[in-house]
């Protein structure tokens, strides 16, 4: 596999890692979700954190309306999703090396399962917002660590958004920001960052102490 050098910071908590966990939307796949459009359809200000705001809605009728709008967008995104360049090859490379892999997403289960089925994503350990408290709550990474019989500090979490970096920090895991051209403002909060997925195997190797 052709690689470019991953950009590595030097956090005090670095390595060795024993598993890699991924965000889904914007990280492994491009589902073309338009969060501004979702907010507009609901009637909320653009930029509103959807799940956090939804949790404050007390009227059951309103809650059902908002949930339906979010679900429609997520299911449409699942049907439109495509691989992020290099992600599949990177996963296959890591699997060939014997790395335990998992997915932790804020998506709903039905949309997540549809994406995994359509794209044949080769990861079986998957947690959605219906399985645990949503990121940046560390519960999901803690549950994955228990299932893998690891400490959270032995996990590298790869994502593209602030919540991904926060969940890693909250769980005591290392974070890697996948740079997509519009999220550079989060770089300072990431332990590491990559601009292409063909950089990830090299980074994982270094963090495992194998390189």
């Amino acid at each position: 596999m052709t690689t470019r050098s991953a950009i590595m910071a030097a956090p005090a908590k670095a390595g060795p890692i024993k598993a890699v966990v991924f965000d889904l939307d914007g990280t492994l796949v491009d589902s073309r979700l338009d969060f501004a459009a979702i907010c507009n359809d609901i009637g909320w200000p653009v930029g509103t954190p959807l799940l956090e705001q939804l949790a404050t809605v007390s009227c059951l009728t309103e809650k059902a309306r908002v949930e339906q709008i979010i679900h429609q967008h997520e299911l449409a995104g699942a049907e439109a999703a495509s691989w992020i360049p290099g992600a599949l090859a990177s996963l296959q490379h890591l699997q060939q090396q014997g790395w335990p892999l998992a997915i932790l997403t804020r998506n709903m289960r039905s949309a997540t399962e549809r994406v995994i089925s359509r794209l044949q994503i080769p990861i079986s350990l998957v947690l959605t917002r219906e399985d645990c408290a949503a990121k940046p709550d560390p519960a999901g990474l803690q549950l994955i660590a228990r299932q893998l019989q690891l400490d959270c500090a032995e996990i590298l979490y790869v994502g593209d958004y602030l919540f991904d970096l926060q969940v890693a920090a909250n769980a005591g895991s290392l974070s890697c920001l996948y740079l997509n051209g519009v999220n550079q403002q989060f770089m300072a909060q990431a332990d590491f960052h990559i601009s292409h997925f063909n950089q990830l195997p090299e980074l994982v190797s270094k963090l495992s102490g194998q390189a």
Side-chain angles (χ1 to χ4, degrees):
M1 178 185 296
T2 301
T3 62
R4 309 168 199 167
S5 296
I7 304 300
M8 302 178 65
K13 60 183 179 180
I17 63 165
K18 296 182 179 179
V20 185
V21 182
F22 297 89
D23 173 47
L24 185 60
D25 277 346
T27 301
L28 293 179
V29 305
D30 179 6
S31 61
R32 300 170 179 82
L33 279 178
D34 186 339
F35 290 99
I38 298 174
C39 288
N40 286 331
D41 286 353
I42 295 171
W44 290 346
V46 171
T48 300
L50 298 176
L51 301 184
E52 287 73 13
Q53 185 63 26
L54 178 61
T56 70
V57 178
S58 57
C59 173
L60 295 181
T61 301
E62 175 63 6
K63 191 178 188 74
R65 183 188 74 86
V66 172
E67 287 178 336
Q68 180 62 23
I69 292 171
I70 295 174
H71 290 180
Q72 287 174 345
H73 278 270
E74 286 192 11
L75 289 172
E79 294 299 330
S82 58
W83 281 100
I84 293 289
L88 176 57
S90 185
L91 291 184
Q92 292 171 333
H93 182 93
L94 293 174
Q95 285 189 319
Q96 290 168 2
Q97 297 296 315
W99 282 94
L101 306 178
I103 290 172
L104 174 63
T105 175
R106 281 167 60 100
N107 289 5
M108 64 179 182
R109 185 181 301 116
S110 58
T112 299
E113 290 176 346
R114 179 57 181 155
V115 172
I116 290 173
S117 175
R118 278 192 59 248
L119 299 183
Q120 293 296 291
I121 298 176
I123 296 178
S124 58
L125 178 50
V126 180
L127 295 186
T128 72
R129 66 171 180 259
E130 292 156 72
D131 301 308
C132 57
K135 298 178 291 184
D137 190 292
L141 278 181
Q142 291 166 346
L143 180 56
I144 288 172
R146 287 196 296 272
Q147 293 196 32
L148 296 177
Q149 297 184 319
L150 298 175
D151 188 277
C152 285
E154 297 174 308
I155 288 175
L156 175 68
Y157 188 73
V158 183
D160 70 307
Y161 189 64
L162 179 62
F163 289 149
D164 302 317
L165 308 180
Q166 291 174 333
V167 72
N170 291 341
S173 300
L174 290 170
S175 63
C176 176
L177 179 67
Y178 168 64
L179 293 170
N180 57 19
V182 296
N183 61 356
Q184 290 88 345
Q185 68 270 29
F186 304 131
M187 285 173 56
Q189 298 183 59
D191 294 315
F192 308 97
H193 57 272
I194 59 173
S195 57
H196 193 282
F197 262 91
N198 60 15
Q199 299 170 328
L200 185 62
E202 176 190 3
L203 174 61
V204 170
S205 179
K206 289 180 178 179
L207 290 178
S208 70
Q210 297 175 7

